[in-house]
Amino acid sequence: MKVVRLGWHPYFLGVAKAVSLRGDCRRSQVGAVLVEDRSHRIISTGYNGVAPGQAGCLSGECPRGLLSIGAHPRGGSYDNCIAKHAEANCVEWAQQELRGLTDRWLTMYITRTPCRGCTSLLVENSIRRAVFPYGIWWLD
C-alpha cells in the first residue's frame, strides 16, 4: 500500500476547516489560518465571532443572525452583524507574533473567498497570498 502525503494547501485548508467549527454564527462558520511560508509554521488562527466573553450569534444576540437567509443574501451588507470576520480575528491574534519579522512571506488559508474588506486587510498587513477552496489570490 502506497502512502500519499497531503500537500501544504490541502493540509492548511483542512486546519482552517477545523478552526471554522468554533465560529459563532448561525449563517456561516468561517475559519482562517495564517502561515509563514518558508517554515510552514502556523502563526495564528481565527474564526468568525464576537470578542471573548461576549454573547454572540448562537446566543441570539446578532440582529443579522436572527433574520432568515432570504432577508440578507450572501454578499449583502454586514452592518447589523456583531461578529468580526475570521480573517480579522486571525490578523489581530498574529500581531504580537509578527512584530520584528521584516522579511516575511505569509499566506492566509480561508474556508471561503475573502470579502473586499478582508482582502484589503490582508494587503495592509503584508500577507502576500490568500488560499481558499477553488482559488488562490496573490496579493502583492
Side-chain angles (χ1 to χ4, degrees):
M1 179 170 98
K2 183 179 178 182
V3 176
V4 178
R5 190 173 189 192
L6 194 60
W8 288 116
H9 290 331
Y11 171 74
F12 288 123
L13 283 172
V15 173
K17 178 66 177 166
V19 169
S20 76
L21 298 176
R22 288 285 306 151
D24 182 21
C25 181
R26 295 172 187 260
R27 300 171 59 85
S28 178
Q29 291 179 302
V30 181
V33 177
L34 185 61
V35 174
E36 198 286 317
D37 288 345
R38 293 182 182 143
S39 65
H40 301 291
R41 190 174 134 241
I42 294 175
I43 303 294
S44 87
T45 64
Y47 51 86
N48 56 329
V50 296
Q54 291 183 349
C57 190
L58 296 178
S59 304
E61 295 298 318
C62 181
R64 181 177 170 84
L66 295 174
L67 297 172
S68 69
I69 297 292
H72 277 285
R74 288 184 185 264
S77 171
Y78 284 88
D79 292 341
N80 60 346
C81 179
I82 63 173
K84 285 204 297 193
H85 286 195
E87 300 92 329
N89 279 322
C90 191
V91 167
E92 182 178 318
W93 286 105
Q95 291 304 317
Q96 188 171 23
E97 184 76 24
L98 295 175
R99 284 191 185 98
L101 288 179
T102 55
D103 185 28
R104 60 187 190 202
W105 288 81
L106 301 172
T107 296
M108 185 168 291
Y109 293 84
I110 314 159
T111 57
R112 66 190 251 187
T113 308
C115 70
R116 284 187 203 139
C118 287
T119 300
S120 295
L121 177 72
L122 299 182
V123 170
E124 290 165 13
N125 284 277
S126 302
I127 297 168
R128 297 178 184 221
R129 183 171 52 172
V131 177
F132 46 93
Y134 317 112
I136 298 175
W137 287 348
W138 290 93
L139 303 170
D140 55 352

